[in-house]
Amino acid sequence: MKAKMIPYDEVEAYVGHAPGGVCPFGVNEGVAVYLDESLRKFDTVYPAAGNGHTAVKLTLQELEAAAGAEGWVDVCKEPEGE
């Protein structure tokens, strides 16, 4: 199935966070979280933490655990030459 974005005005009701602060944890019940393979090139990531002005520093293992990730997917198109 092809990934698609949730319409802006439906994000908060569906996920539990407003656009700009959507993080992969603390989401509404029933929302499955998948992590993109493109993250694997980083040792540390800074996902949003619930609003557009906060972030949290996590290793990939910490992110996977905090998000309760269902798994890894490849939906990010990398720029050519990378």
Side-chain angles (χ1 to χ4, degrees):
M1 162 185 319
K2 183 175 179 171
K4 64 180 182 175
M5 299 294 286
I6 300 168
Y8 184 91
D9 58 341
E10 297 176 24
V11 172
E12 189 167 8
Y14 183 73
V15 178
H17 301 290
V22 176
C23 66
F25 44 87
V27 297
N28 290 339
E29 190 173 322
V31 175
V33 175
Y34 292 86
L35 303 176
D36 191 81
E37 290 286 341
S38 64
L39 293 172
R40 292 190 190 270
K41 64 183 171 186
F42 303 104
D43 294 325
T44 304
V45 293
Y46 296 84
N51 68 50
H53 303 288
T54 58
V56 61
K57 179 180 178 180
L58 299 172
T59 66
L60 292 182
Q61 290 174 324
E62 291 171 330
L63 175 63
E64 228 176 339
E70 299 284 328
W72 291 83
V73 295
D74 187 6
V75 297
C76 183
K77 184 175 182 180
E78 294 289 337
E80 285 188 35
E82 291 199 19

